[in-house]
Amino acid sequence: MRIVLISTPIGFLGSGKGGGVELTLNSLVSGLISLGHSVEVVAPKNSKLHESNVKAKLHFVEGEDQISWQHQNYNSPVSIPDNSLLTGMLEKGLDIAKHADVLLNMSYDWLPIWITLNFEIPIAHVISMGSESSVITNLISKVYAKYPNNFAFHSKMQANDYPFIKKPTIIGNGFNLDNYIFQDSVKGPLAWVGRVAPEKGLEDAVYVANQLGEKLKVWGLIEDEMYASKIEKSFPKGAIDWMGFLSTNELQKELGKCRGLLNTPKWNEAYGNVIVEALACGVPVVAYKRGGPSEIIQHGQTGYLADPDDKKNMLYYVEIIEKIKRQKCREWVEKNASADIFANKVVNWLNKVMNEYK
Ligand code: UDP
């Protein structure tokens, strides 16, 4: 199969601004290549693919980023900046896709979905968020009526945000397991990993660590400075150990030393890459029982699911986290979320999409 992939229009690959999509795209590219498919990626200038993806051709586009939908009002209209990166990537992707089998869009935005109605080539969409915009959700509904197979979701809970989709295609997510080394660090610190932005609920994790008299190690891009400093001010000095944004290789080395990861999303998290990355290093996870995390974590086996927004319940589970066998965490990822398993699901789905156009 010849597949052209369109990246997120928010930040170059490697910047961290695109969140989990950056890692998902890399795992998918390597999984597809190892299955023998040819892959071209259209991405913002300065993007880098992981070293293992040298076989994929990368096309650069320059332009202005989109505003992330989770930071706009649900009813906001679509806005497209002058010299739009998204428009540029789409134009290039459509042009290359003339000689390919399918265009695979990984940006959560209006334009690539709308164009599906107006082009005769197969355009498939990995929807990376829950319903964060009325205009996009309504458009998905309209495109779905014509092309019922063109959308895939990371989890059932995420797909529930789009109730008009009768039998959603769930692809989960995939991870290059060679990039994560198992560590048996039962006595390490507590970790939190993610974009530092309100929908990620960092404050609840700081509360839990602080109740235990511990510093919380926080890795990730500070997307919202005001939010970060507000949290910092509401806890005693030094409650947070800001560790910055690291490459996957550096992150997994540090994360593997921790005894647990706290995951505290306030929104319907589509999947939660950081959970699986922690599990791959042998780190159990305590998360709120909502969105993708509630499908990934096996309660009592690979971590615990606390009642949503109930910090005390989360604290209770963190106190018994040593009951989880770290080897079980790694095993779950090997059996359920490798890059190959993921790529196979995506290929099956893309075949269905392409069949609609025959
Ligand atoms: N991440 C990273 N380095 C860091 C912290 C986070 O590369 O120091 C990456 C992490 O690997 C994950 C992404 O940031 O792929 C966050 O994705 P997630 O699905 O957890 O949430 P999203 O940002 O997409 O909402």
Side-chain angles (χ1 to χ4, degrees), residues 19-20 23 193 195 200 220 244-246 251 267 269 273-274 277:
L23 187 75
V193 187
R195 286 179 296 107
K200 297 291 187 177
F245 180 82
L246 302 184
L251 177 66
W267 66 340
E269 184 83 50
N273 282 2
V274 297
E277 295 183 88

Side-chain angles (χ1 to χ4, degrees), residues 77-118:
V78 176
S79 72
I80 295 181
D82 199 10
N83 185 28
S84 149
L85 172 63
L86 178 64
T87 310
M89 290 202 298
L90 192 57
E91 281 168 359
K92 182 153 260 179
L94 286 165
D95 190 42
I96 304 167
K98 281 182 201 151
H99 310 287
D101 295 307
V102 60
L103 183 64
L104 180 52
N105 168 45
M106 299 193 70
S107 73
Y108 179 94
D109 222 308
W110 186 85
L111 189 61
I113 302 175
W114 178 78
I115 213 101
T116 315
L117 293 169
N118 301 287

Side-chain angles (χ1 to χ4, degrees), residues 87-345:
T87 310
M89 290 202 298
L90 192 57
E91 281 168 359
K92 182 153 260 179
L94 286 165
D95 190 42
I96 304 167
K98 281 182 201 151
H99 310 287
D101 295 307
V102 60
L103 183 64
L104 180 52
N105 168 45
M106 299 193 70
S107 73
Y108 179 94
D109 222 308
W110 186 85
L111 189 61
I113 302 175
W114 178 78
I115 213 101
T116 315
L117 293 169
N118 301 287
F119 258 75
E120 285 310 309
I121 59 169
I123 308 178
H125 308 273
V126 174
I127 301 296
S128 57
M129 296 204 270
S131 175
E132 290 294 319
S133 142
S134 64
V135 64
I136 293 181
T137 304
N138 291 336
L139 178 66
I140 292 177
S141 166
K142 189 173 172 189
V143 177
Y144 169 73
K146 188 170 178 199
Y147 296 114
N149 289 317
N150 289 31
F151 300 95
F153 302 86
H154 290 296
S155 68
K156 287 185 207 147
M157 295 291 274
Q158 176 206 1
N160 285 347
D161 267 12
Y162 305 88
F164 48 85
I165 298 203
K166 294 296 167 240
K167 278 192 191 151
T169 302
I170 310 296
I171 52 175
N173 216 332
F175 299 80
N176 266 327
L177 285 163
D178 294 348
N179 295 343
Y180 301 89
I181 297 166
F182 176 81
Q183 296 190 49
D184 209 9
S185 331
V186 282
K187 298 254 176 270
L190 291 173
W192 187 94
V193 187
R195 286 179 296 107
V196 179
E199 67 272 18
K200 297 291 187 177
L202 169 62
E203 60 278 20
D204 290 9
V206 183
Y207 166 88
V208 170
N210 195 49
Q211 287 292 306
L212 294 168
E214 293 183 36
K215 259 188 179 200
L216 180 69
K217 289 205 173 272
V218 173
W219 284 277
L221 185 86
I222 300 187
E223 202 173 46
D224 186 333
E225 295 273 357
M226 273 189 10
Y227 167 70
S229 76
K230 200 172 142 202
I231 299 176
E232 201 158 35
K233 282 188 198 128
S234 57
F235 289 96
K237 224 174 177 246
I240 307 174
D241 210 352
W242 297 106
M243 306 299 290
F245 180 82
L246 302 184
S247 67
T248 301
N249 183 37
E250 293 301 318
L251 177 66
Q252 63 87 28
K253 268 188 218 157
E254 295 297 320
L255 187 54
K257 293 178 197 158
C258 298
R259 77 174 191 285
L261 176 84
L262 308 190
N263 189 256
T264 45
K266 298 283 168 181
W267 66 340
N268 185 13
E269 184 83 50
Y271 189 78
N273 282 2
V274 297
I275 295 175
V276 183
E277 295 183 88
L279 297 177
C281 302
V283 180
V285 184
V286 182
Y288 286 143
K289 192 176 180 177
R290 80 154 48 102
S294 63
E295 281 168 45
I296 301 169
I297 296 163
Q298 311 295 297
H299 186 76
Q301 294 288 313
T302 60
Y304 296 105
L305 291 165
D307 296 333
D309 304 324
D310 187 341
K311 295 180 279 189
K312 293 203 169 115
N313 193 228
M314 181 163 271
L315 174 62
Y316 167 81
Y317 286 123
V318 172
E319 284 182 302
I320 57 166
I321 204 160
E322 73 278 6
K323 286 191 180 172
I324 302 292
K325 296 205 169 54
R326 292 175 71 98
Q327 198 64 50
K328 277 243 187 283
C329 299
R330 171 79 187 191
E331 275 168 26
W332 184 89
V333 185
E334 286 171 1
K335 282 193 195 129
N336 296 282
S338 71
D340 283 354
I341 294 173
F342 180 47
N344 268 311
K345 287 185 199 159

